[in-house]
Amino acid sequence: MGQLNAGIVPVTAFQQNCTILFDMDDRQGVVVDPGGDIDKVLAVLNDNAINAGAIWITHGHIDHAGGAMELKDALGIEIIGPHEADRPLLANLENQAKHYGITDPVRNCVPDRFLGEGDTVSFGQHAFEVFHCPGHAPGHVVFYNRAAKFAHVGDVLFRGSVGRTDLPGGDHAALIASIKDKLLPLGDDIGFICGHGPGGRFGEERRSNPFLI
């Protein structure tokens, strides 16, 4: 099994961290949260000879799922995730685009498979456990690779902050419970990539994140 690696492609005016997870040896991988600027994402895949076998979605907000259908059509691959509780958000992406004044093409997203707590997704020999972590969005999921001590947490947790909960379906108490009950117990040494900005380690957030103290 080759080394798990990750590349971040900031996309759209939201500067969302579209993430390409891939194996350093065989160049197989997945695209996590293609929120838009799909030409840019395709160029990065092509320039690095990465074969994306699926699209993984953490949650149904437009900056994370707005380009999923376009990327699916371009590559002929499946969309996996998030949890079914985000089905209404995914069915409302076109209206979300109008609300934010987004003029780029956006299509409502229909995943090929929803995910639930305890599911596993993988590419090659890299397996990720799925945690349902509501609060920022009702159907938000986190992808955790135990072997690499790595998690993609989407908009649940940020360096020094947490996901906003003032959007439809947001629940601050549920968000904090998701972080404290499911993520932090995985260990202080777990590194994470989040949906916006720099990542970090769970231990640093446990010790210093003002929302978790």
Side-chain angles (χ1 to χ4, degrees):
M1 180 170 61
Q3 179 183 346
L4 176 66
N5 206 347
I8 293 175
V9 186
V11 295
T12 78
F14 296 101
Q15 287 296 284
Q16 192 275 126
N17 290 336
C18 175
T19 305
I20 300 171
L21 301 174
F22 64 99
D23 184 285
M24 284 291 290
D25 289 349
D26 65 17
R27 314 305 283 182
Q28 302 298 309
V30 295
V31 178
V32 183
D33 288 354
D37 293 337
I38 297 306
D39 288 347
K40 187 176 178 182
V41 177
L42 291 170
V44 171
L45 291 171
N46 183 65
D47 291 347
N48 293 277
I50 297 171
N51 179 29
I55 298 163
W56 295 354
I57 304 292
T58 62
H59 65 291
H61 291 156
I62 191 167
D63 52 331
H64 292 256
M69 295 298 284
E70 182 182 350
L71 186 60
K72 174 182 177 174
D73 288 350
L75 297 178
I77 57 179
E78 289 190 335
I79 299 172
I80 300 173
H83 186 281
E84 192 165 10
D86 267 11
R87 185 192 291 269
L89 289 174
L90 295 169
N92 197 46
L93 289 177
E94 293 169 16
N95 285 331
Q96 286 187 49
K98 293 176 183 176
H99 174 77
Y100 287 108
I102 296 171
T103 57
D104 292 338
V106 171
R107 289 158 54 195
N108 294 336
C109 180
V110 182
D112 295 280
R113 175 160 62 100
F114 285 103
L115 294 170
E117 179 78 16
D119 285 349
T120 301
V121 291
S122 63
F123 60 91
Q125 298 183 55
H126 300 284
F128 289 74
E129 300 168 43
V130 175
F131 294 91
H132 178 210
C133 293
H136 175 68
H140 201 304
V141 296
V142 164
F143 302 107
Y144 171 55
N145 186 288
R146 191 173 295 272
K149 296 185 176 181
F150 163 77
H152 193 299
V153 301
D155 283 1
V156 171
L157 177 67
F158 299 109
R159 184 185 289 186
S161 188
V162 297
R164 59 187 295 185
T165 55
D166 58 338
L167 299 170
D171 184 326
H172 185 75
L175 179 71
I176 299 303
S178 291
I179 296 169
K180 290 187 172 182
D181 297 345
K182 295 185 179 182
L183 300 187
L184 298 187
L186 295 173
D188 283 357
D189 57 344
I190 304 301
F192 68 88
I193 286 176
C194 46
H196 305 266
R201 293 195 179 276
F202 285 172
E204 181 62 27
E205 301 313 310
R206 181 183 60 78
R207 290 186 291 268
S208 65
N209 191 310
F211 294 91
L212 303 177
I213 296 173

